[in-house]
């Protein structure tokens, strides 16, 4: 499942990876989880921008967050929560990360520093459930070299 509309590059990456994508509508509360479950009954993954929807800008409601997490636990599915721009709230306080509500270890929280520091860094992060950190670390080490130590220290 992926939000409709969604960030075009995310959708393209899934298509290039050969992953069947089911677009799921969003409304003022974010991803319409019930619609997604009906249209993608065998889904094993949902990709959302819960903190600030890309491109519409709304924050996923607490009710929808809880329904999405319950679906993931029940279905043994994964949620990738793209923290796209959630750190840049124009009004009020940013909503807590979806992963902070996840008691089943189903959320992979991804983000970067292009909005808060600089896009020149080309530096991002993945926060995974503890049992996946070793595997993700191994995969990342094979895909790209670690950023320079000075850069890591500056971001830390």
């Amino acid at each position: 499942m992926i939000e409709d509309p969604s960030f075009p590059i995310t959708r393209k990456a899934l298509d290039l990876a050969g992953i069947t994508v089911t677009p799921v509508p969003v409304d003022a509360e974010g991803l319409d989880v019930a619609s997604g479950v009906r249209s993608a009954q065998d889904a094993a993954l949902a990709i959302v921008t819960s903190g600030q929807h890309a491109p519409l800008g709304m924050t996923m409601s607490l009710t929808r967050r809880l329904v999405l997490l319950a679906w993931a636990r029940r279905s043994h599915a994964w949620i990738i929560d793209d923290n796209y721009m959630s750190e840049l709230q124009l009004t009020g306080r940013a909503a807590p990360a979806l992963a902070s509500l996840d008691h089943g270890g189903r959320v992979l929280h991804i983000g970067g520093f292009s909005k808060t520091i600089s896009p020149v860094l080309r530096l991002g992060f993945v926060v995974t459930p503890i049992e996946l950190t070793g595997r993700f670390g191994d995969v990342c080490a094979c895909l790209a070299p670690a950023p320079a130590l000075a850069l890591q220290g500056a971001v830390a």
Side-chain angles (χ1 to χ4, degrees):
M1 291 190 280
I2 190 168
E3 298 166 320
D4 186 23
S6 62
F7 191 57
I9 294 173
T10 301
R11 180 96 179 250
K12 184 65 174 173
L14 294 170
D15 288 340
L16 289 170
I19 296 173
T20 302
V21 177
T22 302
V24 177
V26 296
D27 58 22
E29 290 189 75
L31 181 79
D32 183 344
V33 180
S35 174
V37 170
R38 283 191 304 275
S39 61
Q41 294 177 1
D42 296 328
L45 173 68
I47 300 178
V48 297
T49 50
S50 67
Q52 185 171 337
H53 181 268
L56 301 179
M58 81 286 278
T59 298
M60 185 183 285
S61 71
L62 177 59
T63 300
R64 291 274 175 88
R65 289 167 182 248
L66 295 175
V67 170
L68 181 62
L69 289 166
W71 163 79
R73 278 192 306 274
R74 224 178 21 257
S75 303
H76 303 285
W78 297 101
I79 301 167
I80 295 177
D81 187 18
D82 184 350
N83 194 34
Y84 176 79
M85 298 232 349
S86 65
E87 71 276 17
L88 298 177
Q89 296 292 318
L90 297 177
T91 60
R93 188 173 174 171
L98 180 62
S100 70
L101 300 170
D102 179 23
H103 302 294
R106 308 310 306 171
V107 176
L108 307 173
H109 180 86
I110 65 173
F113 302 99
S114 63
K115 312 293 183 305
T116 53
I117 300 176
S118 172
V120 174
L121 292 178
R122 301 186 54 77
L123 186 62
F125 60 87
V126 179
V127 179
T128 69
I130 193 73
E131 61 274 6
L132 297 178
T133 55
R135 185 168 188 168
F136 268 77
D138 291 345
V139 169
C140 288
C142 291
L143 293 177
L149 286 176
L151 177 60
Q152 292 183 52
V155 171

